[in-house]
């Protein structure tokens, strides 16, 4: 697999590794694509809402370590509003790219950072837990990467319909019968949606 020099540098010498004692916020997320995990800890200035310090622990692959390293670099010193806007594409670009099959590692890093920010906002009365709706399902599907090109299935317009009724999530995906990633994509959709307690059943049509 071809990695950029920057990915290798961050993997060999990761920045911001470790755990913060008494963090103002923290989050641990796992990637449904591979089972790898990352934890992020943050100290936030209560007045300016700037991220003063941020560290991570990785339980995953080289790209997991490199993306967590770069995302914590990118978030440090930003306000939580600014940090929320960092996208997984920007994180991958900052690393001079990632192989398409490793794009989900960048999704995981951004997802964990956003979850830690949400944790801070909820603890400080700045936000409430999200209400469940089809929008939430679509947001989640934006984290499912089509490994052939390293883009998410929503941006690629592969998702043709999303519904939610009586606890059943319905997702219609356009993907050729002969596509080698077909089962992989279905499995990943399922694993992403299974984590919502509101979803009791998942129907995927292809
Ligand atoms: Fe899953 Fe990198 S985080 S292979």
């Amino acid at each position: 697999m071809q990695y950029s020099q920057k990915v290798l540098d961050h993997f060999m010498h990761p920045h911001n590794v470790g755990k913060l004692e008494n963090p103002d916020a923290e989050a641990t997320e796992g990637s449904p694509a591979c089972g790898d995990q990352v934890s992020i800890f943050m100290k936030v200035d209560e007045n300016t809402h700037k991220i003063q310090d941020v560290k991570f622990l990785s339980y995953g692959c080289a790209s997991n370590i490199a993306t967590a390293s770069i995302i914590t670099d990118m978030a440090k010193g930003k306000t939580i509003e600014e940090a929320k806007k960092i996208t997984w594409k920007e994180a991958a670009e900052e690393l001079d790219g990632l192989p398409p099959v490793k794009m989900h590692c960048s999704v995981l890093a951004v997802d964990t950072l956003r979850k830690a920010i949400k944790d801070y906002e909820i603890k400080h009365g700045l936000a409430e837990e999200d209400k469940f709706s089809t929008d939430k399902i679509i947001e989640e599907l934006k984290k499912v990467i089509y490994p052939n090109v390293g883009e998410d299935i929503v941006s690629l317009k592969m998702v043709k319909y999303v519904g939610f009724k009586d606890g059943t999530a319905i997702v219609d995906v356009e993907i050729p019968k002969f596509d080698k990633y077909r089962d992989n994509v279905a499995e990943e959709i399922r694993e992403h949606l299974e984590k919502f307690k509101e979803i009791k059943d998942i129907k995927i049509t292809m």
Side-chain angles (χ1 to χ4, degrees):
M1 200 169 299
Q2 196 64 38
Y3 286 115
S4 72
Q5 188 56 45
K6 221 163 163 189
V7 171
L8 295 175
D9 289 346
H10 277 269
F11 166 53
M12 312 264 230
H13 309 285
H15 308 172
N16 315 307
V17 176
K19 191 177 175 186
L20 289 176
E21 288 310 317
N22 303 317
D24 296 318
E26 63 186 292
T28 297
E29 280 282 277
S31 170
C34 64
D36 289 352
Q37 280 194 325
V38 65
S39 295
I40 287 185
F41 309 87
M42 294 192 319
K43 286 269 189 202
V44 181
D45 184 296
E46 255 190 68
N47 299 312
T48 61
H49 292 152
K50 273 196 177 157
I51 300 172
Q52 293 172 308
D53 202 3
V54 51
K55 289 206 181 295
F56 79 92
L57 290 176
S58 162
Y59 313 90
C61 71
S63 308
N64 177 314
I65 294 167
T67 51
S69 172
I70 200 87
I71 200 93
T72 45
D73 271 356
M74 290 166 86
K76 206 184 277 185
K78 285 197 167 63
T79 64
I80 53 171
E81 283 306 320
E82 292 165 344
K84 258 196 268 188
K85 293 187 189 132
I86 301 170
T87 65
W88 58 264
K89 281 188 187 167
E90 287 167 348
E93 277 165 19
E94 200 64 31
L95 285 168
D96 296 337
L98 281 169
V101 291
K102 289 286 176 179
M103 278 298 177
H104 75 265
C105 316
S106 185
V107 172
L108 176 64
V110 169
D111 218 19
T112 314
L113 176 69
R114 289 191 184 157
K115 200 170 168 209
I117 293 172
K118 188 87 183 180
D119 180 48
Y120 177 82
E121 291 177 323
I122 291 171
K123 280 178 182 158
H124 289 76
L126 301 169
E128 290 179 2
E129 294 279 1
D130 294 337
K131 298 246 182 319
F132 197 78
S133 68
T134 50
D135 286 350
K136 193 120 189 203
I137 297 178
I138 294 167
E139 274 315 301
E140 198 57 32
L141 294 177
K142 287 184 187 164
K143 300 173 194 167
V144 177
I145 305 293
Y146 177 50
N148 208 15
V149 291
E151 282 274 355
D152 73 90
I153 59 171
V154 175
S155 301
L156 289 169
K157 302 201 182 339
M158 293 167 76
V159 178
K160 296 297 168 195
Y161 174 79
V162 172
F164 180 65
K165 195 161 183 282
D166 303 329
T168 300
I170 304 150
V171 183
D172 184 28
V173 182
E174 195 172 69
I175 186 165
K177 288 240 175 323
F178 53 81
D179 191 305
K180 69 172 175 176
Y181 291 111
R182 201 177 145 90
D183 292 346
N184 193 281
V185 168
E187 182 65 18
E188 219 191 301
I189 292 172
R190 208 166 275 289
E191 287 178 3
H192 269 274
L193 298 184
E194 268 169 5
K195 68 180 184 192
F196 294 107
K197 60 179 184 324
E198 292 86 352
I199 296 179
K200 309 281 180 246
D201 195 15
I202 300 164
K203 286 200 176 10
I204 302 169
T205 53
M206 287 182 153

